Amino acid sequence: VSGGTISVLPTTLASAAGDVDKIVARVGGDDVSAGAVWTTTDATKATVNAHGVVTSVAAGSATITATYPGTTGTATTTVTVT
């Protein structure tokens, strides 16, 4: 998959500390989660692995960002941990 714009679902996520959730990255209709580059703004609140699996760590919020080679832009999910 190349070209196009990346998007993620969901774009917001509310969870409790210890919860594990999955964010799906798409380019067009293709699931590119496994090939996306995932980052978090605050690993003390939420972490993300190489496949878009988010683990909520502690109360607060973090932004998870996905990028995909050959596409334009980035896509984000705001995670709020209670």
Side-chain angles (χ1 to χ4, degrees):
V1 175
S2 64
T5 302
I6 190 169
S7 63
V8 292
L9 287 174
T11 56
T12 60
L13 183 60
S15 61
D19 285 356
V20 176
D21 297 282
K22 173 88 165 98
I23 300 173
V24 177
R26 294 193 175 279
V27 175
D30 297 320
D31 182 344
V32 297
S33 300
V37 176
W38 298 93
T39 59
T40 181
T41 57
D42 191 344
T44 67
K45 306 304 180 198
T47 62
V48 62
N49 74 9
H51 299 281
V53 176
V54 175
T55 301
S56 298
V57 178
S61 64
T63 301
I64 306 297
T65 301
T67 58
Y68 189 78
T71 64
T72 57
T74 61
T76 61
T77 298
T78 302
V79 180
T80 303
V81 183
T82 56

